[in-house]
């Protein structure tokens, strides 16, 4: 019912910046939480940052002060501004949205994942 499309990944040098975006395609749903996860080779997927519909944000300690998550509920899009990138940030980044989907006369809580976008940082 809902599809997420990610963009903005790429290869950058350490100290550089990237901006990821993720747009939700579909209708008849409200977004409650938008978040970014990442998974490096040989490691488990981890939460990077999240933002609620009310604007509350949280970050994993590894990216605090360097990454900024923001959302545009009208455009149903979430962004991740990544500054001062480090080699350790290299991973596939996944967008996730927790939504309430309208199935009249009720709503259902669901989650959707993007396809992932590669972020590679050279040292």
């Amino acid at each position: 019912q809902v599809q997420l499309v990610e963009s903005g990944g790429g290869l950058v040098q350490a100290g550089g910046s990237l901006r990821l975006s993720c747009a939700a395609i579909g209708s008849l749903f409200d977004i409650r939480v938008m978040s970014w996860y990442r998974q490096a080779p040989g490691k488990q997927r981890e939460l990077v940052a999240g933002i609620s519909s009310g604007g509350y944000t949280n970050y994993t300690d590894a990216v605090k002060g360097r990454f900024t998550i923001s959302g545009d509920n009208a455009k149903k899009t979430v962004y991740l501004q990544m500054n001062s990138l480090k080699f350790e940030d290299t991973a596939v980044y996944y967008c996730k949205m927790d939504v309430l989907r309208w199935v009249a006369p009720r709503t259902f809580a669901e989650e959707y994942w993007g396809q992932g976008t590669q972020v590679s940082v050279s040292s």
Side-chain angles (χ1 to χ4, degrees):
Q1 302 293 332
V2 181
Q3 297 183 28
L4 306 185
V5 180
E6 300 182 32
S7 63
L11 174 64
V12 298
Q13 295 182 341
S17 298
L18 283 174
R19 191 189 193 203
L20 307 182
S21 65
C22 175
I25 301 174
S27 61
L28 301 179
F29 66 93
D30 292 325
I31 300 172
R32 296 300 182 184
V33 178
M34 300 185 288
S35 56
W36 289 95
Y37 289 73
R38 67 184 181 186
Q39 187 167 22
K43 297 184 178 180
Q44 292 185 321
R45 186 174 299 185
E46 64 173 346
L47 176 66
V48 177
I51 183 169
S52 71
S53 60
Y56 177 85
T57 61
N58 67 84
Y59 301 88
T60 186
D61 288 342
V63 308
K64 286 182 178 178
R66 300 188 297 120
F67 291 9
T68 302
I69 187 171
S70 61
D72 186 331
N73 285 322
K75 296 181 179 180
K76 298 181 179 179
T77 301
V78 62
Y79 306 93
L80 185 66
Q81 179 66 47
M82 303 183 293
N83 298 326
S84 301
L85 282 163
K86 304 175 180 179
F87 176 76
E88 303 93 281
D89 296 318
T90 296
V92 177
Y93 284 70
Y94 297 91
C95 170
K96 178 192 174 189
M97 294 191 186
D98 298 291
V99 310
L100 291 178
R101 187 164 62 86
W102 307 347
V103 184
R106 304 178 65 181
T107 59
F108 293 85
E110 299 177 344
E111 66 178 45
Y112 296 90
W113 291 84
Q115 80 279 9
T117 184
Q118 177 71 50
V119 172
S120 298
V121 184
S122 60
S123 60

